[in-house]
Amino acid sequence: MGDLKPLLAVLSGEARAVPPLWLMRQAGRYLPEYQELRAKAGSFLDTCYNPRIAARITLQPIERFGFDAAILFSDILVVPDALGQKVWFESGSGPRLVPVESDAEIAALAESFDIEKLSPVFETIDRVKGELPKSVAFIGFCGAPWTVASYMIAGRGTPDQAPARLFAYRRPEAFARLIDTLVEASAAYLIRQIDAGVEALQLFDSWAGVLPPSEFERWVAEPLKKIIGKVKAARPRVPIIAFVRGGATHLAGLSERLGAQALGLDTAIDPAWAAETIPAGTALQGNLDPLALLAGGAALDREIDAILRCFSGRPHIFNLGHGVLPETPLEHVSQLAARIRGTGN
Ligand code: 1CP
């Protein structure tokens, strides 16, 4: 156990004096070297499906900041793409999809699922694993069914996922079918990521926080539990982090219910509450405000220290409460890494 990579040690339940550090969206627009490769690769999806470039982008933040984990460079919307839905990204305005609507369109998705469409992602994983420094863990991921379905229904990002929420109230059977299709496809996709070489998984339920409790149960908790059950049945040893953004008080018993080894905490969760309420065997990941990182200075130091204090003595992975913002200065990320490791002042 002593020779596990720090991130994997924490996921196995070990508390470390210096928590392992990585950041959601660490491979992305705040890095000039990312911008440079993106400009060469064509569209965003072309970048995701170019193993040579996607592998380089995955490694960029490790090379610059020495994070303890690399996260596969891809996107949650490659799964709808593999299900045959038309997906593209418009620069400046984010993802676009041709919305799924009719029962027939929803039924057709499972039929047209082609996991081989994602083979460039598995090739990216294969390339990265040979190049990672020995102590750096490799995280694979997918979007949770509710979050992915919300984009499939709306056809774009929205402030509150109202189109999918309405759809789920009005046509619960059709929506359940879509969710089931995503459970099956996501589990198969994650298992293939493990076989290609990732060592841990994160499930992103970025839009869990817009649902009332009954809908949370049906569209967030149940599908996540099913995916984790399927992945664990096939590959029992790979640890899983559930990032249920806006999960609020649902987080209290969620890790045991889902069978997840860690919970990602969003910015609004009080670390003291989480440390007290969530069972000590569950690793906690988070939860610095991305805007504190953008602001830097004394406010950043103060927020970092408060989080470190609350989680000291428990298995903790230092991360943000959501993704790095594109405007974040690189020096602030260096300030963060130095402070966590006790090499700053
Ligand atoms: O213009 C560009 O270069 C594209 C920007 C970008 C990037 C860098 C997008 C479009 N996706 C990504 C990469 C990405 N997305 C990763 C890579 C690994 C890393 O973390 O470094 C990951 C894990 C994701 C996951 C993702 N995509 C989520 C879940 C996490 C979260 O941030 O909440 C979601 C919701 C998406 C959808 C998406 N993809 C891209 C954008 C701008 C969005 C959000 C759209 C919206 O709702 O407005």
Side-chain angles (χ1 to χ4, degrees):
M1 184 149 161
D3 55 3
L4 281 181
K5 299 177 179 188
L7 182 108
L8 300 178
V10 169
L11 288 173
S12 79
E14 199 181 296
R16 315 260 308 189
V18 174
L21 167 68
W22 72 280
L23 304 179
M24 292 187 278
R25 293 285 176 103
Q26 66 187 19
R29 287 171 290 182
Y30 74 112
L31 288 178
E33 58 270 34
Y34 169 81
Q35 304 277 19
E36 205 175 295
L37 276 186
R38 270 285 281 116
K40 285 188 193 147
S43 74
F44 177 72
L45 266 188
D46 287 341
T47 313
C48 292
Y49 292 145
N50 182 323
R52 194 178 53 80
I53 290 183
R56 294 282 335 118
I57 293 175
T58 302
L59 291 161
Q60 283 174 344
I62 310 305
E63 286 155 10
R64 191 185 266 273
F65 299 113
F67 292 129
D68 295 289
I71 181 158
L72 168 69
F73 179 76
S74 180
D75 195 78
I76 63 168
L77 299 177
V78 299
V79 168
D81 190 46
L83 288 165
Q85 187 172 15
K86 187 157 171 41
V87 180
W88 70 104
F89 287 79
E90 282 180 2
S91 49
S93 71
R96 300 296 303 271
L97 308 88
V98 174
V100 288
E101 226 189 288
S102 68
D103 290 354
E105 278 164 1
I106 288 174
L109 295 167
E111 303 296 311
S112 50
F113 180 51
D114 178 10
I115 198 162
E116 295 316 324
K117 198 160 183 189
L118 302 173
S119 53
V121 177
F122 310 131
E123 198 188 321
T124 302
I125 294 172
D126 187 59
R127 283 171 177 257
V128 169
K129 79 177 178 208
E131 289 196 53
L132 276 180
K134 271 207 296 293
S135 66
V136 178
F138 193 7
I139 303 173
F141 74 93
C142 75
W146 159 250
T147 287
V148 175
S150 70
Y151 289 95
M152 294 175 79
I153 298 285
R156 60 196 312 149
T158 66
D160 55 5
Q161 303 299 359
R165 288 156 67 193
L166 277 172
F167 190 106
Y169 284 126
R170 288 174 174 153
R171 293 167 59 202
E173 273 121 47
F175 196 69
R177 181 142 195 201
L178 174 57
I179 292 286
D180 287 345
T181 298
L182 285 166
V183 165
E184 294 296 330
S186 306
Y189 178 43
L190 293 174
I191 291 166
R192 288 285 299 269
Q193 290 187 39
I194 294 170
D195 292 345
V198 303
E199 300 162 297
L201 294 170
Q202 176 153 321
L203 293 162
F204 286 91
D205 220 340
S206 303
W207 289 99
V210 297
L211 295 175
S214 57
E215 296 288 280
F216 179 94
E217 192 52 36
R218 187 163 185 193
W219 308 126
V220 171
E222 279 304 313
L224 280 173
K225 184 174 165 204
K226 280 190 199 151
I227 293 184
I228 293 174
K230 283 173 189 288
V231 173
K232 289 284 178 184
R235 306 288 180 271
R237 281 190 293 273
V238 175
I240 298 181
I241 306 164
F243 175 59
V244 179
R245 186 164 76 101
T249 50
H250 294 289
L251 297 183
L254 199 63
S255 51
E256 303 104 300
R257 271 202 62 198
L258 300 183
Q261 285 59 56
L263 292 179
L265 307 177
D266 65 65
T267 301
I269 298 289
D270 178 356
W273 175 85
E276 203 177 283
T277 314
I278 296 168
T282 298
L284 298 175
Q285 175 176 281
N287 66 340
L288 181 72
D289 184 356
L291 277 170
L293 184 62
L294 197 159
L300 174 58
D301 286 345
R302 190 184 65 229
E303 293 301 311
I304 295 169
D305 292 352
I307 290 169
L308 289 174
R309 218 177 302 118
C310 282
F311 293 130
S312 111
R314 339 186 7 135
H316 174 223
I317 299 162
F318 203 101
N319 204 315
L320 300 175
H322 200 194
V324 182
L325 296 162
E327 308 79 12
T328 304
L330 299 170
E331 315 80 72
H332 297 180
V333 181
S334 305
Q335 181 187 339
L336 166 68
R339 194 151 186 106
I340 302 286
R341 293 175 176 150
T343 53
N345 43 37

